[in-house]
């Protein structure tokens, strides 16, 4: 039985004071034990320590990105080991903003996935198609290529201790959510791509998830939770998403 996982991607939002306040509200709301989901918070790098210091029992720490390199002269980069030092357990890799704005291709994303896994972090691998790709009927082809780039590395137990997030690019930050049926179709396809590991791997949906649409998405058999951007910055809304799987 796969547990529901809800991960917050705070992106480059907020201040230290904002992060502290949001955490107080999240801890209070989530520690009541009423929400059955696992919860991960991925703050901006400089606030990892702040969040790690204030995180409650009900919440785990994640990063939004990491370097594919273990250490060295890579100005501005952050390694998996550094994230572990701060208590991170998860790292998002291949978010569509990293792919489109910072030129991360499938091979680099796969290398980041390997770096995270090799160090003992749980990668949250983001995959998903653009609007043009969906309209051209290429959704499954694009997602398969993104997954196969990781498979090609031949890592031991490639999909063990790993999470996949299906995030259609056209649904991220736009207010346009994929319908539960559209998301389910791709989630089921991804699960098939993972082979034997498919039945155990958590596959999250991401793209304008809100309190109002989380429950209908989570009700689909292959949707195991959500990666949440905008709505994760509002405590009450995010707590409702975390509890939507109950
Ligand atoms: C995201 O950035 O991963 C995301 C899903 O954003 P939003 O929820 O704002 O669409």
């Amino acid at each position: 039985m796969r547990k529901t996982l809800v991960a917050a991607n705070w992106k480059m939002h907020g201040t230290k004071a904002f992060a502290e306040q949001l955490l107080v509200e999240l801890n209070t709301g989530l520690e009541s034990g009423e929400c059955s989901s696992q919860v991960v918070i991925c703050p901006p790098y400089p606030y990892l320590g702040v969040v790690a210091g204030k995180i409650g029992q009900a919440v785990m720490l994640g990063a939004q990105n990491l370097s594919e390199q273990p250490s060295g002269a890579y100005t501005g980069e952050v390694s998996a080991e550094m994230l572990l030092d701060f208590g991170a357990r998860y790292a998002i890799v291949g978010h569509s903003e990293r792919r489109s704005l910072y030129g991360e291709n499938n091979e680099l994303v796969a290398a980041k996935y390997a770096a995270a896994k090799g160090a003992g972090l749980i990668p949250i691998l983001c995959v998903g198609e653009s609007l043009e790709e969906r309209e051209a009927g290429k959704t499954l082809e694009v997602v398969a290529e993104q997954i196969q780039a990781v498979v090609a590395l031949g890592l031991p137990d490639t999909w063990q201790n790993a999470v996949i997030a299906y995030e259609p690019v056209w649904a991220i930050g736009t207010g346009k959510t994929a319908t539960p049926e559209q998301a389910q179709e791709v989630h089921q396809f991804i699960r098939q791509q993972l082979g034997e590991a498919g039945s155990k791997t958590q596959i999250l949906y991401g793209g304008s998830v809100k309190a109002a649409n989380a429950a209908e998405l989570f009700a689909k058999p292959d949707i195991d939770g959500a990666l949440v951007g905008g709505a994760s910055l509002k405590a009450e809304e995010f707590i409702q998403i975390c509890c939507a799987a109950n």
Side-chain angles (χ1 to χ4, degrees):
M1 181 71 180
R2 297 180 303 269
K3 283 197 169 177
T4 304
L5 171 70
V6 180
N9 176 9
W10 287 0
K11 308 195 186 190
M12 199 172 72
H13 290 296
T15 58
K16 181 166 169 276
F18 175 85
E20 285 171 338
Q21 179 57 30
L22 186 50
L23 265 188
V24 169
E25 292 171 29
L26 291 178
N27 285 339
T28 313
L30 291 167
E31 270 171 8
S32 66
E34 277 161 26
C35 294
S36 56
S37 302
Q38 297 175 312
V39 180
V40 177
I41 305 284
C42 303
Y45 282 149
Y47 305 142
L48 278 169
V50 172
V51 174
K54 293 205 181 297
I55 214 158
Q57 294 286 335
V59 183
M60 296 176 282
L61 186 63
Q64 297 175 19
N65 184 25
L66 83 164
S67 173
E68 74 282 14
Q69 302 293 344
S71 68
Y74 301 102
T75 302
E77 292 292 284
V78 173
S79 71
E81 203 179 327
M82 292 168 182
L83 298 176
L84 286 163
D85 256 353
F86 273 94
R89 294 180 57 188
Y90 290 79
I92 298 172
V93 297
H95 189 279
S96 70
E97 286 151 16
R98 300 294 320 170
R99 291 178 189 261
S100 66
L101 302 174
Y102 300 98
E104 294 192 9
N105 60 20
N106 284 346
E107 288 64 41
L108 177 57
V109 171
K112 290 186 175 204
Y113 181 97
K117 236 179 146 269
L121 285 167
I122 298 175
I124 302 177
L125 172 69
C126 297
V127 297
E129 81 288 3
S130 66
L131 186 58
E132 296 72 40
E133 289 163 340
R134 175 160 280 266
E135 287 175 348
K138 290 188 172 166
T139 298
L140 301 185
E141 188 188 320
V142 168
V143 167
E145 276 170 14
Q146 292 167 335
I147 303 253
Q148 288 309 316
V150 173
V151 173
L153 295 181
L155 303 172
D157 299 318
T158 301
W159 304 113
Q160 203 181 322
N161 292 324
V163 174
I164 299 193
Y166 168 56
E167 299 210 298
V169 179
W170 48 272
I172 298 178
T174 59
K176 286 185 205 156
T177 320
T179 65
E181 292 69 31
Q182 283 174 319
Q184 167 59 25
E185 183 200 5
V186 183
H187 280 234
Q188 189 178 18
F189 173 77
I190 292 172
R191 211 174 285 294
Q192 286 160 2
Q193 295 282 306
L194 306 185
E196 269 183 26
S199 61
K200 298 194 191 104
T201 307
Q202 289 166 313
I203 307 179
L204 315 182
Y205 168 78
S208 299
V209 174
K210 323 181 239 307
N213 59 22
E216 57 176 4
L217 286 159
F218 297 172
K220 290 291 176 194
D222 289 302
I223 301 183
D224 304 319
L227 178 54
V228 186
S232 72
L233 297 167
K234 299 169 208 146
E236 211 184 308
E237 179 94 11
F238 185 66
I239 291 165
Q240 282 183 43
I241 295 170
C242 295
C243 294
N246 285 14

